[in-house]
Amino acid sequence: MSLVIPKSLKKGDTVALISASGATPSERLQPAIEAVEKLGYNVVVGETCRTRHGYLAGSDALRAKELNDMFANPAIDGIFCIRGGYGATRILPMLDLEMIKNNPKVFAGYSDVTALHIVFNQQCGFVTYHTPMPSTEFIKPAMDEYTWDYFVNSVTNTEWKHYFLENKPGEAMRTITSGNATGILSGGNLTLVTASLGTPYEIDLTGKILFLEDIDENVQRIDRMLTQLKLAGKLDACVGIILGAWTDCGPLDTKIPENNLSLQQVFDEILAPLNIPILADVTCGHVLPTMSLPLGKKVTINTTNKTIEVVG
């Protein structure tokens, strides 16, 4: 069944900045606001962008209430998560999912935001957007035209169909396992996908294309998480896999090389035997440049041509 596609944003619309996860460094807030305003949006700044509770952007109750309120408010046209970090999973039981389902709107972010993408796709039934975020990538000098174009097109052309998700020129995708497959695009950060297992918010990958990326995880931990997904039956359920960036995901033991496996060895040993099409080196994740992904839309991966096409 097709998911609801939120209404495209246009200049003059009102966008809410919130954090369902980590606290925003104070020096990054104003540049983040200005970056979103330069896109032509009116900005409403949530209290969570200015609040800190240890490593969290305020209490669980505050973060959940603010997210509920932004979806319920008809004056808010879109919601951008200002940053990731940690904490989105803690507020899932406090979200009014029925209300959110009845008020779909552009929702963008990535990393820890993966927990919300899974729930909004599966339990609220609308497409969400895996994108860079205002207090991190938006204010970096390295935020490039490719990344901006993908972000803007994602949130302003939500109805687009039959377009390709392409790496930046000169950065080729790589085939791990050959074949073609079509399915709903799902996933995001590997750590958050794995953390959903055994909860009421567990990812359902039946017949889907799984996208995965991560940062600051050693190869042994990636091995453990992929193995957990395998043992839970999740990898056998999906019809294809897209592997994004694995930023600073190096060996556990840097002093004794023979104590390590490479990331490619882990992919070859755990993923390749699934005998489903797998594309790697896709420019998406904790990296610049990065593409934006429409989670919940139908995509086709073709490992012969090394293409990913949005088809519905």
Side-chain angles (χ1 to χ4, degrees), residues 185-198:
L185 183 60
S186 184
N189 182 265
L190 173 60
T191 300
L192 274 297
V193 169
T194 307
S196 76
L197 300 182

PDB file of all heavy atoms in Angstrom, residues 185-198:
ATOM      1  N   LEU A 185      11.357   2.020   0.293  1.00  0.00           N
ATOM      2  CA  LEU A 185      12.630   2.365   0.905  1.00  0.00           C
ATOM      3  C   LEU A 185      12.449   2.576   2.403  1.00  0.00           C
ATOM      4  O   LEU A 185      11.592   3.354   2.840  1.00  0.00           O
ATOM      5  CB  LEU A 185      13.190   3.627   0.259  1.00  0.00           C
ATOM      6  CG  LEU A 185      14.564   4.096   0.724  1.00  0.00           C
ATOM      7  CD1 LEU A 185      15.625   3.037   0.463  1.00  0.00           C
ATOM      8  CD2 LEU A 185      14.931   5.408   0.033  1.00  0.00           C
ATOM      9  N   SER A 186      13.266   1.889   3.204  1.00  0.00           N
ATOM     10  CA  SER A 186      13.140   1.953   4.657  1.00  0.00           C
ATOM     11  C   SER A 186      14.523   1.923   5.286  1.00  0.00           C
ATOM     12  O   SER A 186      15.503   1.546   4.643  1.00  0.00           O
ATOM     13  CB  SER A 186      12.309   0.762   5.161  1.00  0.00           C
ATOM     14  OG  SER A 186      12.084   0.836   6.554  1.00  0.00           O
ATOM     15  N   GLY A 187      14.603   2.319   6.546  1.00  0.00           N
ATOM     16  CA  GLY A 187      15.858   2.212   7.274  1.00  0.00           C
ATOM     17  C   GLY A 187      16.438   3.548   7.667  1.00  0.00           C
ATOM     18  O   GLY A 187      15.726   4.500   7.977  1.00  0.00           O
ATOM     19  N   GLY A 188      17.777   3.613   7.647  1.00  0.00           N
ATOM     20  CA  GLY A 188      18.485   4.803   8.085  1.00  0.00           C
ATOM     21  C   GLY A 188      19.740   4.388   8.838  1.00  0.00           C
ATOM     22  O   GLY A 188      20.534   3.585   8.352  1.00  0.00           O
ATOM     23  N   ASN A 189      19.905   4.903  10.035  1.00  0.00           N
ATOM     24  CA  ASN A 189      21.080   4.613  10.840  1.00  0.00           C
ATOM     25  C   ASN A 189      21.028   3.193  11.398  1.00  0.00           C
ATOM     26  O   ASN A 189      20.044   2.794  12.016  1.00  0.00           O
ATOM     27  CB  ASN A 189      21.173   5.631  11.978  1.00  0.00           C
ATOM     28  CG  ASN A 189      22.397   5.435  12.830  1.00  0.00           C
ATOM     29  OD1 ASN A 189      22.343   4.776  13.847  1.00  0.00           O
ATOM     30  ND2 ASN A 189      23.513   6.002  12.401  1.00  0.00           N
ATOM     31  N   LEU A 190      22.090   2.417  11.170  1.00  0.00           N
ATOM     32  CA  LEU A 190      22.114   1.013  11.585  1.00  0.00           C
ATOM     33  C   LEU A 190      21.872   0.853  13.079  1.00  0.00           C
ATOM     34  O   LEU A 190      21.118  -0.041  13.498  1.00  0.00           O
ATOM     35  CB  LEU A 190      23.461   0.384  11.203  1.00  0.00           C
ATOM     36  CG  LEU A 190      23.726  -1.030  11.716  1.00  0.00           C
ATOM     37  CD1 LEU A 190      22.697  -2.024  11.206  1.00  0.00           C
ATOM     38  CD2 LEU A 190      25.151  -1.473  11.346  1.00  0.00           C
ATOM     39  N   THR A 191      22.482   1.677  13.890  1.00  0.00           N
ATOM     40  CA  THR A 191      22.309   1.557  15.343  1.00  0.00           C
ATOM     41  C   THR A 191      20.850   1.716  15.742  1.00  0.00           C
ATOM     42  O   THR A 191      20.330   0.966  16.573  1.00  0.00           O
ATOM     43  CB  THR A 191      23.170   2.611  16.062  1.00  0.00           C
ATOM     44  OG1 THR A 191      24.544   2.393  15.732  1.00  0.00           O
ATOM     45  CG2 THR A 191      23.001   2.519  17.570  1.00  0.00           C
ATOM     46  N   LEU A 192      20.158   2.674  15.129  1.00  0.00           N
ATOM     47  CA  LEU A 192      18.756   2.915  15.475  1.00  0.00           C
ATOM     48  C   LEU A 192      17.846   1.844  14.908  1.00  0.00           C
ATOM     49  O   LEU A 192      16.862   1.442  15.549  1.00  0.00           O
ATOM     50  CB  LEU A 192      18.327   4.299  14.984  1.00  0.00           C
ATOM     51  CG  LEU A 192      18.604   5.481  15.928  1.00  0.00           C
ATOM     52  CD1 LEU A 192      17.812   5.332  17.230  1.00  0.00           C
ATOM     53  CD2 LEU A 192      20.090   5.637  16.240  1.00  0.00           C
ATOM     54  N   VAL A 193      18.137   1.363  13.706  1.00  0.00           N
ATOM     55  CA  VAL A 193      17.363   0.259  13.133  1.00  0.00           C
ATOM     56  C   VAL A 193      17.450  -0.951  14.053  1.00  0.00           C
ATOM     57  O   VAL A 193      16.438  -1.591  14.377  1.00  0.00           O
ATOM     58  CB  VAL A 193      17.875  -0.082  11.716  1.00  0.00           C
ATOM     59  CG1 VAL A 193      17.270  -1.395  11.233  1.00  0.00           C
ATOM     60  CG2 VAL A 193      17.534   1.041  10.750  1.00  0.00           C
ATOM     61  N   THR A 194      18.661  -1.275  14.516  1.00  0.00           N
ATOM     62  CA  THR A 194      18.854  -2.427  15.398  1.00  0.00           C
ATOM     63  C   THR A 194      18.169  -2.209  16.746  1.00  0.00           C
ATOM     64  O   THR A 194      17.589  -3.141  17.316  1.00  0.00           O
ATOM     65  CB  THR A 194      20.354  -2.692  15.597  1.00  0.00           C
ATOM     66  OG1 THR A 194      20.995  -2.792  14.325  1.00  0.00           O
ATOM     67  CG2 THR A 194      20.584  -3.980  16.360  1.00  0.00           C
ATOM     68  N   ALA A 195      18.212  -0.989  17.256  1.00  0.00           N
ATOM     69  CA  ALA A 195      17.602  -0.691  18.551  1.00  0.00           C
ATOM     70  C   ALA A 195      16.085  -0.836  18.536  1.00  0.00           C
ATOM     71  O   ALA A 195      15.459  -0.951  19.595  1.00  0.00           O
ATOM     72  CB  ALA A 195      17.980   0.725  18.993  1.00  0.00           C
ATOM     73  N   SER A 196      15.485  -0.840  17.348  1.00  0.00           N
ATOM     74  CA  SER A 196      14.022  -0.986  17.274  1.00  0.00           C
ATOM     75  C   SER A 196      13.567  -2.415  17.537  1.00  0.00           C
ATOM     76  O   SER A 196      12.399  -2.651  17.861  1.00  0.00           O
ATOM     77  CB  SER A 196      13.514  -0.539  15.899  1.00  0.00           C
ATOM     78  OG  SER A 196      13.788  -1.508  14.892  1.00  0.00           O
ATOM     79  N   LEU A 197      14.467  -3.382  17.422  1.00  0.00           N
ATOM     80  CA  LEU A 197      14.078  -4.783  17.538  1.00  0.00           C
ATOM     81  C   LEU A 197      13.539  -5.105  18.923  1.00  0.00           C
ATOM     82  O   LEU A 197      14.066  -4.652  19.940  1.00  0.00           O
ATOM     83  CB  LEU A 197      15.282  -5.695  17.232  1.00  0.00           C
ATOM     84  CG  LEU A 197      15.902  -5.568  15.844  1.00  0.00           C
ATOM     85  CD1 LEU A 197      17.046  -6.564  15.684  1.00  0.00           C
ATOM     86  CD2 LEU A 197      14.868  -5.755  14.744  1.00  0.00           C
ATOM     87  N   GLY A 198      12.470  -5.891  18.951  1.00  0.00           N
ATOM     88  CA  GLY A 198      11.883  -6.311  20.212  1.00  0.00           C
ATOM     89  C   GLY A 198      11.018  -5.269  20.886  1.00  0.00           C
ATOM     90  O   GLY A 198      10.591  -5.441  22.025  1.00  0.00           O
TER      91      GLY A 198
END
